[in-house]
Amino acid sequence: MRKVDPERQQAKRRQILEAAGDCFARRGFHATTTAEICAAAGMSPGNLFHYFPSKNAIIEALAEEEWRDTAAYFAAIDDDPADPLEVVLSFLDVVMVFASDRSYSRLALEVAAETLRNPVVCASVAAGDTEMRDGLAALLRKAAARGQIDPELDPVQSANWIAALIDGVFSRLALDTGFDPAREAPMLRRVVGRFLAKPGRGA
Amino acid sequence: MRKVDPERQQAKRRQILEAAGDCFARRGFHATTTAEICAAAGMSPGNLFHYFPSKNAIIEALAEEEWRDTAAYFAAIDDDPADPLEVVLSFLDVVMVFASDRSYSRLALEVAAETLRNPVVCASVAAGDTEMRDGLAALLRKAAARGQIDPELDPVQSANWIAALIDGVFSRLALDTGFDPAREAPMLRRVVGRFLAKPGRGA
């Protein structure tokens, strides 16, 4: 009997997801063929099929991975941070670093478009989005308790609007070639900082 | 020779665009067949084909119509409004009214997804986006001159961030079933109002 090496299996899966992610970012999900993914991954169709039965299964796995990464990011945050507002603003900086990576942002847009057609992709993206909004709302609650932000704001609603701004960054990248995330990162901090600040306070 | 009645032609085109827009909103652009569009428009395939040679031509026309509507909205604004900031905030209210229309917002998401695949759709959406950002930047310049907003903000950059927020509203609708545009409209005003306000001013 052939032995299955789980680590080797995992590495192969990673290799396919990275190759496919590059293809989707470069040529779009629909235009990419499985033959192109095989070539990019250096793998036969039979071998690819062993890991992922279809191109849809690959984008579903990519969306799930993104969800897991978001969950891990927020799970790793200190339960009682000294400066919860800065933890929120630092997360925005991280988003802008990802947005600056053209391959990442193109893939994110392809995944977002696929949420309209593929319910499995939609469920993963929505789950990651919920992790992010819950994580942000928890931080905003702590920031309000420490007097860092306007206590009149509803933390859940404010987290939703921060999520809207983050979505909007990726739409800007799709539509406006002049939008440079590296240059705009301080503005995202500013928009969110001013929104959250107690009225009457400078920002 | 058969006479062509331009008004009748225009009405037929409208009828097809409305029927197709409803189908795309309900079932998604890719899942909709031309047969379904014909049935919804009460028209034979030959007749439909006379107006639009393909399903792509229909979504291209819908995207162009949206661009023209945006251009017309901003062209109709007074050149020297007494309260330019309120003109900006009222535009946000209009966006939220459109966002509350489930058929409109689903179609907007389908068109946005198509920008990744169809360069004609992408060009129209980008042109409409430019009209909106230019219109907002002009209003922000006037609002700054009247001392209504922080003069330190760059009007073009601020308009880009308002555009990001508007894009984000539609992403929220795709991902978060609890996001209610009618209830959230005052929050969009608040986020933008606080962002634009002079530091140290209440909001």
Side-chain angles (χ1 to χ4, degrees):
Chain A
M1 241 173 95
R2 244 171 99 191
K3 272 204 286 187
V4 173
D5 176 346
E7 255 181 53
R8 199 156 167 273
Q9 289 250 342
Q10 210 41 44
K12 278 271 181 192
R13 255 181 77 93
R14 265 290 58 237
Q15 185 184 337
I16 296 168
L17 291 179
E18 268 169 35
D22 280 352
C23 293
F24 296 160
R26 216 170 40 239
R27 309 227 314 117
F29 173 65
H30 283 275
T32 299
T33 63
T34 26
E36 286 168 338
I37 300 171
C38 289
M43 205 171 269
S44 73
N47 205 348
L48 183 87
F49 188 80
H50 173 71
Y51 293 93
F52 295 101
S54 67
K55 211 170 67 165
N56 274 324
I58 299 180
I59 203 151
E60 289 162 12
L62 286 166
E64 189 184 325
E65 202 172 51
E66 182 68 21
W67 158 27
R68 304 285 173 206
D69 286 351
T70 304
Y73 184 92
F74 283 96
I77 291 173
D78 190 346
D79 261 351
D80 186 25
D83 188 346
L85 176 58
E86 181 53 32
V87 178
V88 171
L89 300 176
S90 304
F91 172 65
L92 300 179
D93 293 340
V94 171
V95 168
M96 292 308 255
V97 170
F98 276 100
S100 304
D101 177 338
R102 203 179 141 70
S103 180
Y104 177 90
S105 66
R106 290 300 302 182
L107 182 57
L109 288 165
E110 290 292 331
V111 170
E114 234 23 57
T115 60
L116 298 178
R117 309 188 209 310
N118 183 326
V120 178
V121 170
C122 189
S124 287
V125 173
D129 183 67
T130 302
E131 293 281 352
M132 177 182 74
R133 288 185 290 119
D134 288 351
L136 289 172
L139 287 164
L140 294 176
R141 218 167 276 122
K142 289 166 193 168
R146 286 182 183 262
Q148 293 188 305
I149 64 171
D150 183 355
E152 298 286 309
L153 294 170
D154 174 53
V156 170
Q157 201 180 19
S158 300
N160 291 352
W161 280 99
I162 295 173
L165 261 170
I166 292 172
D167 295 337
V169 165
F170 289 89
S171 295
R172 288 297 90 204
L173 291 168
L175 284 182
D176 178 2
T177 49
F179 189 88
D180 173 1
R183 202 189 55 208
E184 296 290 341
M187 273 298 274
L188 178 55
R189 271 189 169 250
R190 196 176 203 179
V191 177
V192 172
R194 285 186 172 195
F195 160 49
L196 297 174
K198 293 183 192 170
R201 243 201 174 181
Chain B
M1 241 174 92
R2 243 171 99 190
K3 269 204 285 185
V4 174
D5 176 346
E7 255 181 53
R8 199 155 168 274
Q9 289 252 341
Q10 209 43 44
K12 278 270 181 195
R13 254 182 76 93
R14 263 292 59 238
Q15 185 184 337
I16 297 167
L17 290 180
E18 269 169 34
D22 280 352
C23 293
F24 297 161
R26 218 171 37 241
R27 311 226 315 117
F29 173 66
H30 283 276
T32 299
T33 63
T34 26
E36 286 167 340
I37 299 170
C38 289
M43 204 171 268
S44 73
N47 206 347
L48 182 87
F49 188 80
H50 172 71
Y51 292 92
F52 296 101
S54 66
K55 210 171 67 165
N56 274 324
I58 299 179
I59 201 152
E60 288 162 12
L62 286 166
E64 189 184 326
E65 203 174 48
E66 181 67 22
W67 157 27
R68 304 284 174 208
D69 288 349
T70 304
Y73 184 93
F74 284 96
I77 291 173
D78 190 347
D79 262 352
D80 186 26
D83 188 346
L85 176 58
E86 181 53 33
V87 178
V88 171
L89 300 177
S90 304
F91 172 66
L92 300 179
D93 294 340
V94 171
V95 168
M96 292 308 253
V97 170
F98 276 99
S100 303
D101 177 338
R102 201 178 142 71
S103 180
Y104 177 89
S105 66
R106 290 301 303 183
L107 182 58
L109 288 166
E110 290 292 331
V111 170
E114 233 23 57
T115 60
L116 297 178
R117 311 189 208 308
N118 184 326
V120 178
V121 170
C122 188
S124 287
V125 173
D129 183 67
T130 302
E131 293 281 351
M132 176 182 74
R133 288 186 289 120
D134 289 351
L136 289 173
L139 288 164
L140 293 177
R141 218 167 278 123
K142 289 165 192 167
R146 285 182 184 262
Q148 293 187 305
I149 64 171
D150 182 356
E152 298 286 309
L153 293 171
D154 173 54
V156 170
Q157 201 179 20
S158 300
N160 291 351
W161 279 98
I162 294 173
L165 261 169
I166 292 171
D167 295 337
V169 165
F170 290 88
S171 294
R172 288 297 89 206
L173 291 168
L175 284 181
D176 179 1
T177 49
F179 189 89
D180 173 1
R183 202 190 54 210
E184 296 290 341
M187 272 299 274
L188 178 55
R189 269 189 172 251
R190 195 177 205 180
V191 177
V192 172
R194 286 186 172 194
F195 160 49
L196 296 174
K198 291 183 192 169
R201 246 201 173 182

